[in-house]
Amino acid sequence: MSLQKKITIISYVFNLSNTVRAYAVYDSLKSEYETQVLYADYDHYSKQYVTFDNKNFKSIHVPGYKKNISLMRMVSTVLFGIKSLQYLKRARTDFVYVVCPPNFGAFLVSFFCKKTNIPCIIDIVDLHPESIPLSNKIKKIGDFFGLFLWKKFRNLAIKNADEVIVECNYYKNFIASSFHDKVQTIYIAKQSNLQIVKFETVREHEISILYLGSIGHIYDFETLISLGRGLVKRNIPIKIHIIGDGEKRNWLIENLEVESIPYIYYGKIFEESNKKKIMEMCDFGFNGFKDETSVGLSYKSLDYMDYGLALINSTKEDTWNLINENQAGLNYFADDVDSLINNLVNLAPEDVLLMKKNSRKLFEKYFDRRVFESSIRKKMKELI
């Protein structure tokens, strides 16, 4: 019989990527605790059913969905919460670690843990519904029809939990101040595969910008198009490199072509060595989100910093402040693209090189996997 304490991690989203929060937590704790992960068998990113050949990973069957903003996605996450609770009632565990959202599931599990005196952490990795790209007017209408319940379930989960972790400081703005004493920021992290980061690739005769990740509705591609259009009109060489796919791919490519903005579309790339070759051709990483979203830090920004790309950024608080304080890129407002263009054009090659070096330093100081693992292990030792 194992003498190790048993930890159960519950996360709808799960795969073996080192940027997935649940897997990063599992990997940090598995050597010291008997650690198990409950996950949904429908993959949010590939929109396919998945299972993993590991006795410590327990899949929970849920309905699939095709659109990220849809009734079926809500049904899928609600059923995951109910089935996770049913599993916990049958299982023996000493500690529960819940990745939130889904908010409803976090509420159910945290309530059960409080009732049965099982220590529980809620780890908030996204803000639902605040991160949905809807205007404030539409969100108020949504609240009238029940959208406020989404926030209510998260707030109740926070109240029930013994400790709360947020992946960036910005999220604390959405948590009642009365709970701040039990809230800690542990930044999202990535395991770097790089031995040496090349900084000598500043392209003096071309502004090279990379977009990496999902091509979805929450990202500010309108500014990317406006930026490209403005540079083309000034006869300044530019090339936009795109790695990824999503619902707005056709829209993005059509607008790049209409505006005669040079680009290369690579599609999805998972092999790190292939991604590295493209990254090394670029000097900037585009990290623009729509104003209506509530995002303080993104996984794509970690990739940019890992590879030493200067950021072109609009995300709030954490990333914005780190860039300003460390000269690691350019922040912009979506309603003032002209200032962004002027700032970009006026950069000397040595300025870009300094930004790239500072970007990599930020990664090493705040977002390297070793920093994350140390913080998670320390938190567990405090609670178990």
Side-chain angles (χ1 to χ4, degrees), residues 198-210 236-241 262 264 266 276-284 308-310 344-345 347-353 356:
K198 295 182 179 179
F199 295 110
E200 67 271 16
T201 55
V202 175
R203 303 171 75 85
E204 296 186 32
H205 305 295
E206 178 182 272
I207 294 176
S208 54
I209 301 172
L210 173 70
I236 295 170
I238 176 179
K239 184 165 287 182
I240 296 176
H241 300 255
I264 302 176
Y266 301 93
K276 180 174 181 287
K277 292 175 184 176
I278 299 166
M279 293 276 209
E280 290 179 348
M281 292 191 288
C282 302
D283 293 319
F284 296 92
L309 299 187
L344 199 55
V345 169
L347 289 173
E350 54 268 27
D351 297 326
V352 178
L353 186 61
K356 294 180 72 172

Side-chain angles (χ1 to χ4, degrees), residues 44-63:
H44 172 71
Y45 301 105
S46 67
K47 301 294 187 285
Q48 295 177 346
Y49 282 96
V50 294
T51 55
F52 302 98
D53 186 19
N54 186 317
K55 64 182 179 64
N56 295 323
F57 302 156
K58 170 69 176 176
S59 66
I60 292 179
H61 183 63
V62 295

Side-chain angles (χ1 to χ4, degrees), residues 10-13 19-25 45 73 97-103 106 121-128 131 154 164-168 171 175 186-189 294-299 372 376:
I10 300 176
S11 176
Y12 184 97
V13 174
T19 57
V20 171
R21 190 75 154 191
Y23 182 72
V25 173
Y45 301 105
R73 183 183 180 186
Y97 191 110
V98 186
V99 178
C100 174
N103 297 356
I121 279 181
I122 299 294
D123 188 346
I124 299 174
V125 300
D126 201 351
L127 293 174
H128 288 176
S131 62
R154 182 185 66 224
V164 177
I165 293 173
V166 291
E167 70 170 22
C168 61
Y171 288 177
I175 296 175
I186 299 180
Y187 280 133
I188 57 178
S294 297
V295 179
L297 198 60
S298 70
Y299 283 106
F372 175 84
I376 288 293

Side-chain angles (χ1 to χ4, degrees), residues 319-356:
T319 309
W320 186 283
N321 294 338
L322 287 170
I323 287 174
N324 269 352
E325 293 164 6
N326 297 275
Q327 293 181 280
L330 298 172
N331 289 320
Y332 76 86
F333 294 102
D335 59 358
D336 189 12
V337 181
D338 286 342
S339 292
L340 173 60
I341 293 171
N342 290 333
N343 291 335
L344 199 55
V345 169
N346 290 329
L347 289 173
E350 54 268 27
D351 297 326
V352 178
L353 186 61
L354 178 62
M355 286 180 172
K356 294 180 72 172

Side-chain angles (χ1 to χ4, degrees), residues 155-214:
N155 293 338
L156 288 171
I158 290 169
K159 183 178 180 180
N160 291 333
D162 294 274
E163 295 282 338
V164 177
I165 293 173
V166 291
E167 70 170 22
C168 61
N169 290 318
Y170 176 62
Y171 288 177
K172 289 182 181 178
N173 296 334
F174 299 85
I175 296 175
S177 58
S178 57
F179 298 127
H180 280 192
D181 286 347
K182 64 177 180 179
V183 178
Q184 177 183 349
T185 299
I186 299 180
Y187 280 133
I188 57 178
K190 179 192 174 189
Q191 176 69 53
S192 178
N193 294 312
L194 303 182
Q195 301 298 321
I196 299 174
V197 181
K198 295 182 179 179
F199 295 110
E200 67 271 16
T201 55
V202 175
R203 303 171 75 85
E204 296 186 32
H205 305 295
E206 178 182 272
I207 294 176
S208 54
I209 301 172
L210 173 70
Y211 178 79
L212 171 69
S214 172

Side-chain angles (χ1 to χ4, degrees), residues 108-144:
L108 287 181
V109 170
S110 64
F111 180 78
F112 171 77
C113 289
K114 185 176 182 180
K115 186 178 177 182
T116 54
N117 295 315
I118 299 173
C120 175
I121 279 181
I122 299 294
D123 188 346
I124 299 174
V125 300
D126 201 351
L127 293 174
H128 288 176
E130 292 88 350
S131 62
I132 299 173
L134 300 173
S135 68
N136 289 331
K137 183 177 180 180
I138 293 176
K139 284 181 179 178
K140 287 179 180 178
I141 295 172
D143 280 345
F144 179 78

